[in-house]
Amino acid sequence: MKLASRLDHIAPFQVMAILAKARALEAAGRDIIHLEVGEPDFATPAPIVAAGQRALAEGHTFYTAAEGLIELRMALAQWYRQRYDVAVSPERIIVTTGASSALQLALGLLVEPGSEVLLADPTYPCNRHFVSLFGGTPVALPVGPDTRYQPSAAQVATAWCERTVALMLASPGNPTGTLLPSDTLAELVTLCREKGGALIVDEIYHGLTYGVDAETALRQADDAFVINSFSKYFQMTGWRLGWLVVPEGWQEPAIRLAQNLFLCPPAPAQQAALAAFEPATLAILEERRAEFARRRDFLLSALPALGWKLPLVPEGAFYLYADVSAVTDDSFAYCQRALDEVGVAITPGVDFGEYGAKRHVRVAYTTGVARLAEAVERLATLRG
Amino acid sequence: MKLASRLDHIAPFQVMAILAKARALEAAGRDIIHLEVGEPDFATPAPIVAAGQRALAEGHTFYTAAEGLIELRMALAQWYRQRYDVAVSPERIIVTTGASSALQLALGLLVEPGSEVLLADPTYPCNRHFVSLFGGTPVALPVGPDTRYQPSAAQVATAWCERTVALMLASPGNPTGTLLPSDTLAELVTLCREKGGALIVDEIYHGLTYGVDAETALRQADDAFVINSFSKYFQMTGWRLGWLVVPEGWQEPAIRLAQNLFLCPPAPAQQAALAAFEPATLAILEERRAEFARRRDFLLSALPALGWKLPLVPEGAFYLYADVSAVTDDSFAYCQRALDEVGVAITPGVDFGEYGAKRHVRVAYTTGVARLAEAVERLATLRG
């Protein structure tokens, strides 16, 4: 028996190896500060948990429609009206098993063997793997702080070829936390339409922006594929629940593909998520958002003392993407040393692409300020 | 924007269209007897639900490892020892988001563009779509009652070619409910090994067999890929939880692919499933299994009066696959009439393949004997 060759192109997340090593060190008695994993440190808000428990008591343990509960799709449509003042029909919203399934669904609808999909480098590593899964080729667009780590219209226009079927964006991005500027989005929307390609926008960190609210791409592009999730802002990571907004006319094939790939998203999670938009839940989430903002601001002020360069203030997510070239020429080895020598777990740039990867690390501020301060103190002892 | 051509090859489940129409008729006041959907009519047993509620109260709402909780993998290994007297190391068990993800994972590990995978016709429709998803070609092996609707070794040997990478089996099968005879399995195991191909066995209806216990293919083939699920016997359909047993040496790529495709299976479902093997749960499940047996036996005695042919007694699942050629030459039209005229929802053979599809329907006995009896009475008025 022979392993399929697609596995040659799917690298393991280094962050998972670091997490495993961190846990092994902890099991051996070491105190490790976790700044590596892309998951809020807050458990799911109590009103959502209570709704999940109630739904279980009421016997909501059966399959749902492949596209999700109509009540939840209507609640999401209402959320777009209320939060973004944008009209999205519930029929265009497909509830999925986390953003992972939403991403697979969008690319399964668009990518042919031989297709090319343009995406930023650095970016979330699974994006390029999902493109490869369907026989497509991910084409990396190197991005830096000059464009807030987002592709420019000129860059996309140059990279676009006859095999290109889609451009993928993320706002806020992972690992950089930056928003796509509104005027850049406008240019990219126009460009995708002119080229006859699809625009896919990952908005899973919406809600987790500081001092500014993110706009959905749907405001400018009703024909975009928008991926979102209950994982990050709503802090429902383990429940596995997300959604995909498809352009008008794409519902039928999207639901047909979802039916075959997933049957349906988890029913208890869907029932629980109905409580996600209640005022009591949103009050909790907004408090936590303020806490993330405090953490970001603390790190932005503290990390430069380590010699780390943070060329801009990222508006969102819970990541800082730091240039550590002043302290190392190999960020992967540096991350290993940080874990081994001072018990601080951070993620090397190599998890997110190739461009500048050895010069960068990602810090996830998914622990409180006191621990962040201790992490900075410990990392200071690594210098030189 | 152009829809990917894979969607041309993915037919909608007719059963879903029938379900939707049945619900519309119900909304209009009609009484519909549902014999179409492949889902137990029992809610998840109370001890599993209680475990899920407790886990939520305790804050188990975070990501787990991609391969699932080690406690659950150990419980499954213990289940193989206890129920089948077979040793399976927990390391070989990957917990998945339902059998759908287990199936995608197994085929993602094995199928290259251009590969061929052999499978029975009729069979579960998603099987061939997952093969196509990865650029492979599903090759149908027409099966009938003479081989208990299972492929024979001679048939597999004839169909095997240099592009063949795997044989997929299901025992009990869907839509036929039949077990693979142990001696046939032995021949097929030998054949797959000789050919250097993989054997994939769907065992998701294990536990739901009547008067006989199914043997796992792992007893004869430690190198098989075995798919199973908490959906059917454990009645956790909506929770989306299954598992894949991989051969020794395949764990690392399996976990790597699972990480990228799914991140992890739902955490609340995994916590709940820890209670699936408790004596109190098993007592409930065994009572329900006896109830399914009563339903099967009732239909086996009642359906022949309709002119439906049931050439064998299927050992398991909750399906009968009936030859209705004495009453129609188009089972699809017959299913439409059954729903429209007498309010009985059944699934046409076309959902499961091409071979004999127009002569067959699938009946799911996922409702009580009184309703089954009424369904038979109603269908009797359709004759002639």
Side-chain angles (χ1 to χ4, degrees), chain A residues 91-262:
Chain A
E91 284 72 34
R92 287 173 49 206
I93 303 172
I94 319 287
V95 180
T96 58
T97 308
S100 302
S101 292
L103 190 54
Q104 185 172 8
L105 200 53
L107 292 170
L109 289 169
L110 292 165
V111 175
E112 300 278 0
S115 296
E116 291 187 5
V117 175
L118 308 181
L119 25 75
D121 179 355
T123 193
Y124 177 61
C126 294
N127 289 352
R128 53 179 185 276
H129 297 149
F130 276 111
V131 175
S132 306
L133 187 74
F134 292 111
T137 302
V139 175
L141 307 172
V143 294
D146 54 318
T147 60
R148 302 194 69 77
Y149 302 106
Q150 298 282 356
S152 69
Q155 196 176 21
V156 171
T158 303
W160 202 289
C161 75
E162 58 186 8
R163 292 181 302 282
T164 307
V165 296
L167 167 67
M168 284 198 67
L169 302 170
S171 179
N174 173 8
T176 60
T178 55
L179 290 176
L180 182 73
S182 183
D183 53 350
T184 306
L185 174 62
E187 292 172 350
L188 292 172
V189 167
T190 303
L191 185 61
C192 286
R193 285 182 185 154
E194 281 171 7
K195 300 286 191 184
L199 177 65
I200 305 171
V201 187
D202 169 351
E203 300 189 344
I204 72 168
Y205 291 99
H206 270 218
L208 294 176
T209 52
Y210 314 114
V212 59
D213 281 320
E215 282 211 345
T216 174
L218 294 166
R219 169 177 291 284
Q220 293 196 40
D222 207 40
D223 53 350
F225 291 77
V226 168
I227 290 161
N228 210 323
S229 170
F230 286 96
S231 288
K232 312 295 183 178
Y233 176 61
F234 297 102
Q235 287 137 31
M236 292 182 68
T237 46
W239 300 76
R240 314 306 300 118
L241 200 67
W243 70 91
L244 173 68
V245 181
V246 297
E248 193 59 56
W250 287 74
Q251 298 97 316
E252 186 280 323
I255 293 172
R256 182 150 44 92
L257 188 57
Q259 216 173 61
N260 277 278
L261 293 178
F262 315 118

Side-chain angles (χ1 to χ4, degrees), chain A residues 20-55:
Chain A
K21 187 169 184 183
R23 292 210 171 126
L25 291 171
E26 281 172 326
R30 285 278 297 278
D31 174 58
I32 306 296
I33 304 178
H34 289 277
L35 309 180
E36 79 280 42
V37 181
E39 178 171 37
D41 49 326
F42 303 108
T44 305
I48 299 178
V49 167
Q53 290 175 312
R54 268 197 314 277

Side-chain angles (χ1 to χ4, degrees), chain B residues 19-188:
Chain B
L19 178 62
K21 187 170 184 182
R23 292 210 173 127
L25 289 171
E26 281 172 328
R30 286 278 299 277
D31 174 59
I32 306 295
I33 303 177
H34 290 276
L35 308 180
E36 79 280 44
V37 181
E39 178 172 36
D41 49 326
F42 303 107
T44 304
I48 299 178
V49 167
Q53 291 175 311
R54 268 197 314 276
L56 290 177
E58 291 164 5
H60 291 291
T61 62
F62 295 93
Y63 292 132
T64 70
E67 64 273 26
L69 297 170
I70 185 63
E71 301 92 312
L72 185 56
R73 298 164 75 206
M74 289 173 69
L76 285 164
Q78 168 64 20
W79 180 247
Y80 277 107
R81 267 196 300 278
Q82 168 188 333
R83 195 78 163 207
Y84 300 100
D85 193 23
V86 170
V88 180
S89 128
E91 283 71 35
R92 288 172 50 206
I93 303 172
I94 318 286
V95 180
T96 58
T97 309
S100 302
S101 292
L103 190 55
Q104 184 172 7
L105 201 52
L107 292 169
L109 289 169
L110 293 165
V111 175
E112 299 277 1
S115 297
E116 291 187 5
V117 175
L118 308 180
L119 25 75
D121 179 357
T123 194
Y124 177 62
C126 293
N127 289 353
R128 53 181 185 277
H129 297 149
F130 275 110
V131 175
S132 306
L133 187 73
F134 292 110
T137 303
V139 175
L141 307 172
V143 293
D146 54 318
T147 59
R148 302 195 70 77
Y149 303 104
Q150 298 282 357
S152 69
Q155 196 176 21
V156 171
T158 303
W160 203 289
C161 76
E162 58 186 10
R163 291 180 303 281
T164 308
V165 296
L167 166 66
M168 282 198 70
L169 303 170
S171 179
N174 172 9
T176 60
T178 55
L179 291 176
L180 183 72
S182 183
D183 53 350
T184 306
L185 175 61
E187 291 172 349
L188 293 172

